[in-house]
Amino acid sequence: MELQHEFTVPVPVGEAWPALLDIERVAPCLPGAAVAEYDGKTVTGSVKVKVGPVTVTYRGTAVFEEQDEAAHRMVLVASGRETRGQGTARATVTAELTGRDGGTAVSVRTDLTVTGRPAQFGRGVLAEVGDRLVSQFADCLAQRLTEPAPATEERPGEEATATAGPAEPEPLDLLHAAGLPVAKRAAALAAALAALTVVVLRLRRRDRSRHGRRRR
């Protein structure tokens, strides 16, 4: 499926471009994502996705196939596989940056293929989830780009925190991210099943009534 999104950040293109390529900096803005290694072109990491009571972890890589600084255009190809299942996920993400009113407009086109449990939601719900996640990502990125640079001085206890390693990210909750639309669909499905049950019961009662009359 193909998804199209656009968001803006309140900094010029010259600042937004290197920020989006700074994977360690933007990864915390992606729910469920954790970066294990990045060499400037290939990212190795994982993404945790929660579907109801089930949490699915994908491990894989993402490779920058294109980084056109002059055109401010990048192409990222990511693929992963469930650590405890047969599900897979693959995405080709194309982003283009354009200056707009002193800030930067980011247009993102995603060609997404998902198999396994998250695929049960279908295109409509995944598109709604994508809209919410892009909005959340844009807000987080804007905050990181406008906040002061962190101090380089070592603070007490900083070394102990560093050796402890990065905190484990919270999984991306698809039901929570989709919000009301999923709840409406679930309610509609429940109503349809209830209606079907009522019809079946009525048919059975009629059938029993007919059999009773014939016996008389």
Side-chain angles (χ1 to χ4, degrees):
M1 71 185 68
E2 185 172 297
L3 306 174
Q4 186 77 38
H5 299 96
E6 182 173 307
F7 62 91
T8 59
V9 289
V11 296
V13 177
E15 294 182 31
W17 172 258
L20 285 174
L21 294 178
D22 188 347
I23 297 299
E24 286 89 350
R25 188 178 185 184
V26 302
C29 291
L30 295 170
V35 175
E37 188 177 354
Y38 178 49
D39 61 8
K41 183 178 180 180
T42 302
V43 185
T44 302
S46 63
V47 175
K48 286 187 176 181
V49 179
K50 185 178 181 182
V51 184
V54 179
T55 298
V56 181
T57 300
Y58 292 93
R59 294 191 186 278
T61 60
V63 180
F64 280 101
E65 290 198 343
E66 181 180 337
Q67 293 183 19
D68 189 338
E69 185 174 0
H72 296 124
R73 182 178 187 272
M74 66 180 76
V75 178
L76 180 71
V77 177
S79 61
R81 178 177 293 275
E82 289 184 31
T83 57
R84 297 182 180 179
Q86 300 300 317
T88 62
R90 179 178 175 83
T92 299
V93 182
T94 303
E96 297 181 347
L97 282 63
T98 308
R100 180 182 297 176
D101 299 328
T104 301
V106 184
S107 176
V108 183
R109 185 178 74 255
T110 305
D111 186 2
L112 176 66
T113 302
V114 180
T115 66
R117 282 163 285 188
Q120 66 182 289
F121 290 104
R123 174 184 170 81
V125 173
L126 290 179
E128 291 163 359
V129 171
D131 291 342
R132 290 173 179 261
L133 293 182
V134 168
S135 176
Q136 180 179 332
F137 173 78
D139 292 342
C140 176
L141 181 62
Q143 180 179 351
R144 285 178 174 269
L145 291 177
T146 54
E147 67 186 7
T152 57
E153 296 181 5
E154 184 175 326
R155 294 188 293 262
E158 185 173 350
E159 184 178 351
T161 302
T163 56
E168 191 73 13
E170 289 293 324
L172 165 59
D173 191 332
L174 287 185
L175 290 178
H176 178 73
L180 187 60
V182 172
K184 287 182 176 179
R185 290 191 179 119
L189 178 59
L193 291 175
L196 180 60
T197 302
V198 171
V199 171
V200 170
L201 289 175
R202 286 180 178 177
L203 289 176
R204 287 182 177 177
R205 288 174 182 173
R206 289 179 182 177
D207 189 52
R208 291 175 181 174
S209 177
R210 290 176 181 176
H211 281 292
R213 292 176 183 176
R214 289 177 182 177
R215 290 175 181 175
R216 291 177 184 176

